[in-house]
Amino acid sequence: MFQHSHALAPMLRKLMRWAPLDEADQRAVLALPYAIRTLSRTGYVVRDGSAPTHSCVLLSGYAFRQKLIANGCRQILAIHIPGDIVDLQNSFLDRADHNVQVFTGAELAMVPVEAVRDIAFRRSAVGLALWRETLVDGSIQRQWTANVGQRNARERTSHFLCECGYRLEFAGLGHRARFNLPMTQEDMADALGLTPVHINRTLMSLDRDGLTTRRRNSMVIHDWDALATIADFDPGYLHPENDAKVIPVAVTGIATFP
Amino acid sequence: MFQHSHALAPMLRKLMRWAPLDEADQRAVLALPYAIRTLSRTGYVVRDGSAPTHSCVLLSGYAFRQKLIANGCRQILAIHIPGDIVDLQNSFLDRADHNVQVFTGAELAMVPVEAVRDIAFRRSAVGLALWRETLVDGSIQRQWTANVGQRNARERTSHFLCECGYRLEFAGLGHRARFNLPMTQEDMADALGLTPVHINRTLMSLDRDGLTTRRRNSMVIHDWDALATIADFDPGYLHPENDAKVIPVAVTGIATFP
DNA sequence: CGTAAAATTGACTGACTTCAAATTCGGTGG
DNA sequence: CCACCGAATTTGAAGTCAGTCAATTTTACG
């Protein structure tokens, strides 16, 4: 019944983190109508001000939320990894209040908003899981605000790296101390409210101190605990303990995707 | 049927902004079980890490969300005004990821989380309204992040003042250019990621330029348009146009509360 | 290879912080 | 009504973290 490489399987896996879904719920999630869309580098998934027509599940690649300020500055608000539902925020409101873009090329499953609304209110377990997904996104956003508002460049950058690593590992997409990070230093600067030059100096300083190594688009953290201490990183805000832990065999098979 | 000064009326008024509720829905909202709780200055509504037992509707006074950082700093994440449901975020998750406190003394209606979950999933219109309430909170949080991350002290402070004024007016609690703001400059500093000294200099500069006047706990904005221009304030992120605009006569009567 | 984008480096600047002291405010009790 | 006291605000001077500007090097990729 469950196809091991069903496009929506990563989404299902994620939803089952937030609420236990019975077999009918799971089937209903996988039966959601969708269309695959491929976007190239910096392609827009959602534009600020547009009326939402689809909810997008990120299948491969990385995406980010972003807001443009009058003075031309850009604030990157969140990073998304495969399995994330990239614009649930917008799907239940009239119009998008921010942009969503992909970093590198990415594949998305586009689900019509009507179908999402329908499943959310017809199947309360799925609805709860979806709601929690948006609430955890909100929690990450609060942490991000605190990070930008109260920490210095070194702490801020460290926290960002810890969050990326932890979330990727939590999603089953790699190891927290060794992961792919396809952003430029300019992107990172816009995410952390710093300048590219200062991000560069900060990253180099972490490298010099033996905490990290950067190569290409990949990040290696040599001393996770030390970095987490600098960052004051506590994964509680990601609500990992909410994990329903009821992942049936048929679905765990897709955990390696992609 | 509708009591004009029912404690939950401000909450109902707010929910009807986000989705049209039929008479049965409205009755169900007002029939939610609750207990009134009075908190004095800086009292805690929710503590970081605690398991939620109630969702709290702010009836009078102002509240704020807050996170403490290892270095002792505090980031104020959001301000809440009467009618706001102060911890929906926490109610659907296992444990709170931030603190909620009141500024001055405040009155809250404490609704058991089970009752909220029940109404949310039994009455889909109410559920949608509650969900949207949390989504708009998320949108405000994104704006807050962008504000702290990308704007200078003057723009940041102006944006904060515009948001306060606009939201109070939108909630029917006053005029955008003349409102009560019972925070110290230290609070404001923690909200905007600045130091109290610099907030002071910034506020004085706005005063000196004839844009604002501060008296006691009140704020007067003399030139809203000028302040909004400095702030790059666009109320779209508050999703005012989502207003269901179907406010029945019986309920509008309470718009003057408190 | 050649080229454009990204990363790195250096010198200088400035917005905001820090520290510390003075002043005003707001509530309270004599 | 006024004197008092702690909290909040205001002021000044000096310091710093991060920004700016501009040039150079490295990397990615056709």
Side-chain angles (χ1 to χ4, degrees):
Chain A
M1 175 197 322
F2 298 108
Q3 295 169 38
H4 279 218
S5 53
H6 190 295
L8 298 183
M11 171 192 178
L12 176 59
R13 178 171 187 273
K14 190 139 201 269
L15 291 180
M16 293 181 72
R17 278 253 153 73
W18 306 132
L21 303 184
D22 64 28
E23 213 174 293
D25 291 328
Q26 296 176 38
R27 216 181 291 120
V29 170
L30 293 179
L32 280 167
Y34 67 90
I36 299 288
R37 190 172 162 205
T38 307
L39 281 177
S40 56
R41 181 185 185 62
T42 75
Y44 275 81
V45 182
V46 177
R47 280 186 193 273
D48 194 345
S50 66
T53 56
H54 294 80
S55 292
C56 308
V57 183
L58 189 58
L59 302 179
S60 66
Y62 292 72
F64 62 101
R65 299 161 180 285
Q66 171 255 98
K67 230 180 200 319
L68 296 170
I69 308 296
N71 53 25
C73 293
R74 172 184 73 153
Q75 174 70 43
I76 291 183
L77 303 158
I79 304 292
H80 283 295
I81 64 178
D84 284 358
I85 307 169
V86 148
D87 64 343
L88 256 189
Q89 278 71 14
N90 295 319
S91 302
F92 287 87
L93 290 171
D94 51 333
R95 45 191 65 254
D97 51 61
H98 61 282
N99 301 292
V100 182
Q101 271 179 285
V102 301
F103 275 123
T104 49
E107 277 184 311
L108 299 134
M110 317 281 292
V111 184
V113 286
E114 296 76 24
V116 178
R117 291 189 192 195
D118 193 65
I119 201 176
F121 288 102
R122 268 188 218 279
R123 304 197 154 270
S124 56
V126 178
L128 181 60
L130 285 167
W131 199 334
R132 282 186 173 154
E133 169 81 6
T134 62
L135 292 178
V136 171
D137 265 2
S139 175
I140 295 171
Q141 195 67 57
R142 286 189 287 275
Q143 184 67 53
W144 203 287
T145 305
N147 201 31
V148 171
Q150 302 297 334
R151 289 195 250 258
N152 66 30
R154 189 179 173 87
E155 297 164 349
R156 223 183 277 190
T157 306
S158 302
H159 196 281
F160 176 77
L161 295 174
C162 286
E163 176 175 319
C164 289
Y166 191 94
R167 281 175 57 195
L168 284 164
E169 181 173 299
F170 186 56
L173 296 171
H175 190 281
R176 70 174 70 178
R178 188 177 203 89
F179 53 88
N180 205 38
L181 194 64
M183 328 167 54
T184 65
Q185 293 182 8
E186 194 174 347
D187 293 331
M188 224 183 273
D190 287 345
L192 297 174
L194 297 165
T195 53
V197 171
H198 202 64
I199 280 284
N200 180 267
R201 296 196 227 268
T202 307
L203 287 173
M204 288 200 305
S205 141
L206 291 175
D207 271 17
R208 212 177 306 117
D209 295 349
L211 292 163
T212 56
T213 301
R214 291 165 296 136
R215 265 201 320 278
R216 306 264 200 141
N217 285 333
S218 81
M219 195 76 214
V220 179
I221 300 174
H222 296 113
D223 191 340
W224 173 272
D225 290 344
L227 199 69
T229 303
I230 291 170
D232 178 31
F233 179 77
D234 173 356
Y237 73 99
L238 299 167
H239 293 272
E241 74 294 354
N242 222 327
D243 196 330
K245 287 183 191 80
V246 196
I247 304 187
V249 186
V251 178
T252 41
I254 56 83
T256 52
F257 178 96
Chain B
M1 173 199 323
F2 299 107
Q3 295 169 39
H4 278 219
S5 52
H6 189 295
L8 298 183
M11 172 191 176
L12 176 59
R13 178 171 187 274
K14 192 139 198 270
L15 291 180
M16 293 181 73
R17 277 252 154 73
W18 306 132
L21 304 184
D22 65 28
E23 213 173 294
D25 291 328
Q26 296 177 38
R27 217 180 289 119
V29 170
L30 294 179
L32 281 167
Y34 67 91
I36 299 288
R37 190 173 161 205
T38 306
L39 281 176
S40 57
R41 183 185 183 62
T42 76
Y44 274 81
V45 182
V46 177
R47 279 185 195 274
D48 195 346
S50 67
T53 56
H54 293 79
S55 291
C56 309
V57 183
L58 189 57
L59 302 179
S60 66
Y62 292 73
F64 62 102
R65 299 160 181 286
Q66 171 254 98
K67 230 178 200 319
L68 295 170
I69 308 295
N71 54 25
C73 293
R74 172 184 73 155
Q75 174 70 44
I76 291 183
L77 302 158
I79 304 292
H80 283 294
I81 64 177
D84 284 357
I85 307 170
V86 148
D87 64 344
L88 256 189
Q89 277 71 12
N90 295 318
S91 302
F92 287 88
L93 290 171
D94 51 332
R95 43 191 65 256
D97 52 61
H98 60 282
N99 301 292
V100 182
Q101 272 179 287
V102 301
F103 275 124
T104 49
E107 276 184 311
L108 298 136
M110 316 282 289
V111 184
V113 284
E114 295 76 25
V116 178
R117 290 188 192 197
D118 193 65
I119 200 175
F121 288 102
R122 268 188 218 280
R123 303 197 155 269
S124 57
V126 178
L128 180 61
L130 286 167
W131 198 335
R132 283 186 170 154
E133 170 81 7
T134 63
L135 291 178
V136 171
D137 267 1
S139 174
I140 295 171
Q141 195 67 56
R142 285 189 287 276
Q143 184 67 55
W144 205 285
T145 306
N147 201 31
V148 171
Q150 302 297 337
R151 288 196 252 258
N152 66 29
R154 191 180 173 84
E155 296 164 351
R156 224 184 276 192
T157 307
S158 302
H159 196 281
F160 176 77
L161 295 175
C162 286
E163 175 176 322
C164 289
Y166 191 94
R167 282 175 56 194
L168 284 164
E169 181 174 295
F170 186 56
L173 296 170
H175 190 280
R176 71 173 68 177
R178 191 177 202 91
F179 53 89
N180 205 36
L181 192 65
M183 332 169 49
T184 65
Q185 293 182 7
E186 195 174 345
D187 293 330
M188 226 183 274
D190 287 347
L192 298 175
L194 297 166
T195 53
V197 170
H198 201 64
I199 280 285
N200 181 265
R201 295 197 227 266
T202 307
L203 287 172
M204 286 199 308
S205 140
L206 291 175
D207 271 17
R208 210 176 310 115
D209 295 348
L211 292 163
T212 57
T213 300
R214 291 164 297 136
R215 264 201 321 278
R216 306 264 199 146
N217 286 332
S218 81
M219 195 75 215
V220 180
I221 299 174
H222 295 114
D223 191 340
W224 173 271
D225 290 342
L227 200 69
T229 302
I230 292 170
D232 178 32
F233 179 77
D234 172 355
Y237 73 98
L238 299 167
H239 292 271
E241 76 292 354
N242 221 327
D243 194 330
K245 289 184 188 82
V246 196
I247 304 187
V249 186
V251 178
T252 41
I254 56 84
T256 52
F257 180 94

